[in-house]
Amino acid sequence: MAMTLSDRIPIGELRKHVGEVVLVTGWAAAVRKQKAVQFVILREGFDRVQLVNDRGASPEIAEEIDALRPESVVLARGTVEENERVKLGGLEIRLEELVTLSLADELPIGKDAGLDARLDWRFLDLRSEPNQLMMRVQTIIEREFRNYCLGRGMVEINSPKLMASPSESRSELFEVKYFDRKAYLAQSPQFFKQMGIVGGLPGVFETGPVFRANPSFTSRHDTEFTSIDIEIPWVSSHEDVMRFEEQMLSRVLAAAQDEYGEPVERLFESEIVVPSTPFPRISHADAIAAVEDDGYTIPRADGDLDPEAERRLSRIVERTHGHQFVFVTDYPASVRPFYHMRQDDAPQLTKSFDLIWKGVEITTGAQREHRYDRLVAQAREKGHQLEELQFYLDFFRFGCPPHGGFGLGLTRLLMLLLSVANVREVTYLYRGPNRLAP
Amino acid sequence: MAMTLSDRIPIGELRKHVGEVVLVTGWAAAVRKQKAVQFVILREGFDRVQLVNDRGASPEIAEEIDALRPESVVLARGTVEENERVKLGGLEIRLEELVTLSLADELPIGKDAGLDARLDWRFLDLRSEPNQLMMRVQTIIEREFRNYCLGRGMVEINSPKLMASPSESRSELFEVKYFDRKAYLAQSPQFFKQMGIVGGLPGVFETGPVFRANPSFTSRHDTEFTSIDIEIPWVSSHEDVMRFEEQMLSRVLAAAQDEYGEPVERLFESEIVVPSTPFPRISHADAIAAVEDDGYTIPRADGDLDPEAERRLSRIVERTHGHQFVFVTDYPASVRPFYHMRQDDAPQLTKSFDLIWKGVEITTGAQREHRYDRLVAQAREKGHQLEELQFYLDFFRFGCPPHGGFGLGLTRLLMLLLSVANVREVTYLYRGPNRLAP
């Protein structure tokens, strides 16, 4: 019987094929060579099955298995048999044929490898059960985010990452050799998503890479990550933006909980709590007061919340409201970019917010200033070069609705969802000051 | 009565509110100031409604409208009235209040502006009915592509765009200043999506930017575009990859036809034909023979199909098979990258294909070589520096399934779907050698 890959049965579906001859494929997670019998544990994604060969019955297969090293990829044909003593679903496959499709070398890292070694060999690291799960949870986050936006009639954009001038600030900017001139990599799609609103679109969303030439090595920073972004028109204030975000996140977490709550708890010891809406809100001033009451003096010169203050604030809110999320609102203009809208009755404050989850800031959002004169004045006040910003300022000269939006880092979200300590663990391929490969 | 944006009614839903006082928002598409009566045509996305004001009834509103310039953004309150003589759905709104939220300057471009001027002011250009439609059709393409992949249990990846070494070739490569060293922008996610397969994922998909330092100015080229990419394991040959793509495209086009077939025909004079599957297939050798029979001698030194040959081939297939699509298969190894798998019985040929739609190549796909020794030999044969490729070659040393995939340019697809002549028209913000802004 000729074996062809199109006849293969996923290991997860073998239960339906007891007594049949099937074709299966996967990685040899373990190879046990005994005197009379050989066993191969075949792995495919989350699923595993035991393959059995009696040396006497098939010396050819015996030879093939003797040469097999762990993590080799094989194609196997055999009969699915029930066997209560087998842990993996009480099934095993009695081999009739085994072909090594890809023989593995000796593995360069062991199970106890450190993070850096694992990242060097990320494709081996990805094969672990937690990482298989992590990639699937990530897929759900992106899917549900987009479905939420699509359900509101919003339009997807793919904004350019190459720009003639800096998007927001000259710091943390990567420079590109662009033919005989210079270009820069976008630090966020901020200006371009606002352009969609000015362009008359009914709300826009994007998931795409952003680039930050940040030389720091913390567990939360990277030089490239996936940003989840939206911008919506006709908002009355930042409150409309917060309402959008809390509903979206509640949907995302409900889907993740529903589909992978059990394995996330088992493999990451992390419980996915579907948050109630509305999320608690606290003004920036009240947040600082609460943290100070808690006995912490913020060391930052600008008085803004630092990571320790964010952690403490989360604990306070968890205690007082029983909620993992908290919106910090009404940030002072002094610590916000020029395009955040000021409050009418308190122009030193902005219509902006941060979202903190489990002690970590995951979002900055705001209503944007859409009135040209005020925007120019605010840009000037912040010391920006107006010439570099002119392409952006022009957006507001020909009719722009009131609008707002937010950005959310995919890996920060995933890191907190899975309760892992480092964005490197939850990035498909992490990029940092010292890491550009594989 | 205080007007608040949260009470606004979309213009498309006014029919349900006849006789009621409503709040609407939008752009003043036209302002007509007569002696006794004033009219404003208010536009929001695809929808329009006429606002009416009797000067005598409200001098305040009259003053506001007199100061209004086209494309200003307004918020209006008034009663929805039926009026058979009004073209826009037989409805108009008798104004009780009008607030100019954003007064437009004199517009910098007119309706007859050329492409370059329109791209300079892309946010104004996007407000046109065809462009509003284009962005919505694009949204459907991405949605249906992803839903097709999700339905097959595939995992989404966000592969890095910053690389330590070139992805495929040194030509057309953008260089980035990366702290004290150099990085490059990925020309495709090719290697990284293959890494997902090696990492044990059950098929991967991605929509993300790719970068090509191509100095050419043709209607099909750009320096940055969105690539739609997949990679699937356990393929028997490139045939499995073609089957995936034809089913996916058929689904995408069916959804586009269903939701926007009528307006696409009206605004773009383009009929969306849902293609039957399987698509016609023709070998590269037969394609060349057919084009030569058609009286065309291909001028390329390497004998590969040039754009004119692709156009002729499409016409031939349309004539003989009544089909807009054709897969050209079995490309010679000489015109394909080193990682395309060779055919067992004809090693000068690859297990690869291009997909041509309406005379334009939209995809290159292949089964990949997953056997380390052959891959190294093929890389060497093509003259590659093995050191630069080592991170990629390593993927194949520790167990890799047979696999294949394809890439598809989003804007090329959209250009052909809408029958427009230039990718610049269907890119949110086009990037070319001379264009980096807005």
Side-chain angles (χ1 to χ4, degrees):
Chain A
M1 174 176 145
M3 301 206 291
T4 143
L5 279 171
S6 51
D7 300 324
R8 58 184 276 280
I9 305 288
I11 293 177
E13 295 175 15
L14 286 175
R15 171 59 53 194
K16 289 183 265 176
H17 298 272
V18 174
E20 295 173 25
V21 174
V22 298
L23 193 80
V24 290
T25 53
W27 281 260
V31 185
R32 266 177 253 128
K33 302 157 191 173
Q34 299 179 2
K35 262 194 186 158
V37 193
Q38 297 166 304
F39 300 98
V40 176
I41 305 296
L42 195 67
R43 186 195 67 232
E44 192 184 23
F46 292 126
D47 302 312
R48 284 155 191 254
V49 68
Q50 175 164 290
L51 313 178
V52 196
N53 182 55
D54 287 323
R55 283 186 188 275
S58 174
E60 263 181 42
I61 297 178
E63 203 175 315
E64 193 79 14
I65 294 179
D66 276 337
L68 213 56
R69 281 184 293 261
E71 294 301 314
S72 296
V73 166
V74 302
L75 183 135
R77 187 165 60 87
T79 309
V80 184
E81 297 180 351
E82 288 191 287
N83 182 343
E84 314 183 324
R85 285 168 308 167
V86 176
K87 279 183 190 164
L88 305 165
L91 294 179
E92 62 186 5
I93 292 178
R94 193 149 297 271
L95 288 173
E96 295 180 16
E97 199 168 349
L98 185 132
V99 179
T100 305
L101 295 173
S102 177
L103 183 64
D105 284 357
E106 206 71 51
L107 296 182
I109 53 169
K111 289 205 185 304
D112 55 349
L115 179 57
D116 248 11
R118 287 195 285 111
L119 295 184
D120 284 341
W121 300 98
R122 182 60 163 170
F123 54 96
L124 298 176
D125 188 42
L126 278 179
R127 294 179 188 172
S128 76
E129 222 180 333
N131 278 338
Q132 291 285 314
L133 180 59
M134 178 275 287
M135 290 301 298
R136 284 163 176 82
V137 173
Q138 180 218 271
T139 301
I140 285 185
I141 294 175
E142 297 193 68
R143 183 191 78 195
E144 292 302 312
F145 161 69
R146 294 193 191 105
N147 284 345
Y148 181 77
C149 295
L150 290 166
R152 293 175 57 124
M154 291 164 67
V155 165
E156 180 156 5
I157 57 170
N158 304 279
S159 69
K161 307 310 162 199
L162 291 167
M163 302 179 78
S165 53
S167 42
E168 296 190 33
S169 82
R170 285 223 154 264
S171 69
E172 305 193 358
L173 200 60
F174 284 119
E175 188 185 296
V176 181
K177 215 177 137 216
Y178 196 76
F179 305 105
D180 53 356
R181 57 203 273 220
K182 281 177 191 171
Y184 302 93
L185 292 179
Q187 293 167 302
S188 95
Q190 183 58 43
F191 292 174
F192 297 136
K193 63 184 179 166
Q194 289 186 255
M195 198 193 84
I197 301 306
V198 182
L201 296 174
V204 297
F205 65 97
E206 175 165 16
T207 51
V210 297
F211 305 90
R212 309 273 168 95
N214 185 331
S216 65
F217 291 91
T218 80
S219 61
R220 307 195 221 172
H221 287 96
D222 30 29
T223 53
E224 174 179 355
F225 65 90
T226 303
S227 184
I228 289 176
D229 275 276
I230 68 121
E231 201 73 25
I232 48 176
W234 314 119
V235 301
S236 298
S237 75
H238 52 311
E239 179 59 38
D240 289 336
V241 184
M242 291 190 282
R243 204 172 300 127
F244 183 109
E245 184 168 18
E246 65 196 3
Q247 285 166 8
M248 186 275 283
L249 282 173
S250 178
R251 174 180 176 149
V252 164
L253 289 171
Q257 210 281 330
D258 183 49
E259 289 175 55
Y260 293 113
E262 185 278 314
V264 165
E265 188 140 6
R266 182 163 43 83
L267 295 171
F268 289 93
E269 294 174 23
S270 181
E271 188 196 352
I272 304 176
V273 176
V274 181
S276 61
T277 56
F279 295 176
R281 286 142 167 78
I282 186 170
S283 74
H284 184 262
D286 287 350
I288 285 182
V291 167
E292 282 176 355
D293 271 1
D294 195 48
Y296 182 65
T297 310
I298 296 170
R300 284 177 59 137
D302 61 9
D304 198 5
L305 299 167
D306 67 343
E308 173 59 19
E310 288 169 352
R311 279 190 289 273
R312 283 181 181 244
L313 180 63
S314 256
R315 283 200 295 269
I316 295 167
V317 172
E318 181 99 47
R319 214 158 54 220
T320 53
H321 293 71
H323 209 284
Q324 293 182 337
F325 289 88
V326 57
F327 281 118
V328 181
T329 63
D330 308 313
Y331 275 76
S334 57
V335 297
R336 294 306 230 191
F338 73 96
Y339 53 82
H340 283 197
M341 187 180 268
R342 306 286 172 87
Q343 297 188 5
D344 290 333
D345 48 356
Q348 75 283 10
L349 298 181
T350 56
K351 292 185 171 185
S352 77
F353 65 89
D354 274 8
L355 178 58
I356 297 175
W357 186 25
K358 298 183 183 179
V360 179
E361 179 244 299
I362 60 170
T363 281
T364 294
Q367 176 168 3
R368 324 300 185 182
E369 182 53 74
H370 64 279
R371 293 160 296 186
Y372 183 77
D373 294 343
R374 296 198 191 198
L375 190 61
V376 169
Q378 290 177 194
R380 210 172 257 141
E381 190 189 306
K382 288 272 183 191
H384 287 288
Q385 299 294 324
L386 293 193
E387 307 75 53
E388 279 187 352
L389 286 175
Q390 196 55 52
F391 83 95
Y392 172 68
L393 297 172
D394 279 344
F395 294 172
F396 306 94
R397 288 176 51 213
F398 307 99
C400 177
H403 64 287
F406 64 81
L408 182 62
L410 174 63
T411 36
R412 275 205 194 180
L413 193 63
L414 198 51
M415 176 178 88
L416 296 168
L417 194 158
L418 299 174
S419 301
V420 299
N422 201 316
V423 289
R424 292 164 177 77
E425 297 275 5
V426 293
T427 308
Y428 182 62
L429 270 172
Y430 166 77
R431 291 293 183 252
N434 286 344
R435 182 166 290 280
L436 271 174
Chain B
M1 177 177 146
M3 301 205 292
T4 144
L5 279 169
S6 52
D7 300 325
R8 58 183 277 279
I9 305 287
I11 292 178
E13 295 175 15
L14 285 176
R15 171 59 52 195
K16 290 183 263 175
H17 297 273
V18 173
E20 296 174 23
V21 174
V22 298
L23 192 80
V24 290
T25 54
W27 281 259
V31 184
R32 266 177 252 129
K33 302 158 190 172
Q34 298 179 2
K35 262 194 187 159
V37 192
Q38 296 167 305
F39 299 98
V40 176
I41 306 297
L42 194 67
R43 186 194 68 232
E44 192 184 25
F46 292 127
D47 301 311
R48 284 156 191 254
V49 68
Q50 175 164 292
L51 312 178
V52 196
N53 182 54
D54 287 323
R55 282 186 187 274
S58 175
E60 263 181 42
I61 297 178
E63 202 176 316
E64 194 80 15
I65 294 180
D66 277 336
L68 214 55
R69 281 185 292 261
E71 295 302 312
S72 296
V73 166
V74 302
L75 181 136
R77 187 165 60 87
T79 309
V80 183
E81 296 180 352
E82 288 191 288
N83 181 344
E84 310 183 327
R85 287 168 307 169
V86 176
K87 280 184 190 162
L88 305 165
L91 293 179
E92 61 185 6
I93 291 178
R94 192 150 297 271
L95 288 173
E96 295 180 16
E97 199 169 348
L98 185 132
V99 178
T100 305
L101 295 174
S102 176
L103 182 65
D105 284 357
E106 207 70 53
L107 295 181
I109 53 168
K111 290 207 185 304
D112 55 349
L115 179 57
D116 248 11
R118 287 194 286 112
L119 295 185
D120 283 342
W121 301 97
R122 182 61 162 170
F123 54 95
L124 297 177
D125 188 41
L126 277 179
R127 294 180 189 171
S128 76
E129 222 179 333
N131 278 339
Q132 290 286 314
L133 180 58
M134 178 274 288
M135 290 301 297
R136 283 163 178 81
V137 173
Q138 179 218 273
T139 301
I140 285 185
I141 294 175
E142 296 192 67
R143 183 191 77 197
E144 291 303 311
F145 161 69
R146 293 194 192 105
N147 283 345
Y148 181 77
C149 295
L150 289 166
R152 294 175 57 126
M154 291 163 67
V155 165
E156 179 155 7
I157 57 169
N158 306 279
S159 69
K161 308 309 161 199
L162 291 167
M163 303 179 77
S165 54
S167 42
E168 296 190 33
S169 81
R170 287 224 152 262
S171 68
E172 305 194 355
L173 200 61
F174 284 119
E175 188 184 295
V176 181
K177 214 175 137 219
Y178 196 77
F179 305 104
D180 53 357
R181 57 203 272 219
K182 282 178 192 172
Y184 302 94
L185 293 179
Q187 292 166 303
S188 93
Q190 182 59 42
F191 292 174
F192 297 135
K193 61 184 180 167
Q194 289 186 254
M195 197 192 85
I197 301 306
V198 181
L201 296 174
V204 296
F205 65 98
E206 176 165 18
T207 51
V210 297
F211 305 90
R212 309 274 167 94
N214 185 329
S216 65
F217 290 91
T218 81
S219 61
R220 306 195 224 173
H221 287 95
D222 30 29
T223 53
E224 176 178 355
F225 65 91
T226 303
S227 185
I228 289 176
D229 274 276
I230 68 120
E231 200 73 25
I232 49 175
W234 314 119
V235 302
S236 297
S237 75
H238 51 312
E239 180 58 40
D240 288 337
V241 184
M242 291 191 281
R243 203 172 301 127
F244 183 109
E245 184 168 17
E246 65 196 2
Q247 285 166 7
M248 186 276 283
L249 282 173
S250 178
R251 173 179 177 151
V252 165
L253 289 171
Q257 210 282 330
D258 183 50
E259 289 175 54
Y260 293 113
E262 185 277 315
V264 165
E265 188 141 6
R266 180 163 46 82
L267 295 172
F268 289 94
E269 294 172 23
S270 181
E271 188 195 353
I272 303 175
V273 176
V274 182
S276 61
T277 57
F279 295 176
R281 286 142 167 77
I282 186 170
S283 74
H284 184 262
D286 287 350
I288 286 181
V291 167
E292 282 176 353
D293 272 1
D294 195 48
Y296 181 66
T297 310
I298 296 170
R300 283 177 61 135
D302 62 8
D304 197 5
L305 298 166
D306 67 343
E308 173 59 19
E310 288 169 350
R311 277 190 291 273
R312 283 180 182 246
L313 180 64
S314 256
R315 283 199 296 267
I316 294 167
V317 172
E318 181 100 45
R319 215 158 55 220
T320 53
H321 293 71
H323 210 285
Q324 294 182 337
F325 288 88
V326 56
F327 280 118
V328 181
T329 62
D330 308 314
Y331 274 76
S334 57
V335 298
R336 294 306 231 191
F338 73 95
Y339 53 82
H340 284 196
M341 187 179 268
R342 306 287 171 86
Q343 297 188 5
D344 290 334
D345 48 358
Q348 75 284 10
L349 299 181
T350 56
K351 292 186 170 183
S352 78
F353 65 90
D354 273 8
L355 178 59
I356 297 175
W357 186 25
K358 299 184 183 177
V360 179
E361 180 244 299
I362 58 169
T363 281
T364 294
Q367 179 169 1
R368 324 299 184 182
E369 183 52 75
H370 63 280
R371 293 160 296 187
Y372 183 78
D373 295 343
R374 297 199 190 195
L375 191 60
V376 168
Q378 291 176 193
R380 211 171 255 140
E381 190 189 305
K382 289 272 182 191
H384 286 287
Q385 299 295 323
L386 293 193
E387 307 75 50
E388 277 187 352
L389 285 175
Q390 196 55 52
F391 84 94
Y392 172 68
L393 297 172
D394 279 344
F395 293 172
F396 305 94
R397 289 175 51 211
F398 306 99
C400 177
H403 64 286
F406 63 82
L408 181 64
L410 174 63
T411 36
R412 277 205 192 180
L413 192 64
L414 198 51
M415 177 179 88
L416 296 167
L417 193 159
L418 300 175
S419 300
V420 299
N422 201 316
V423 289
R424 291 166 178 77
E425 296 275 5
V426 292
T427 307
Y428 182 62
L429 270 172
Y430 167 78
R431 291 293 183 251
N434 287 342
R435 183 167 288 281
L436 271 175

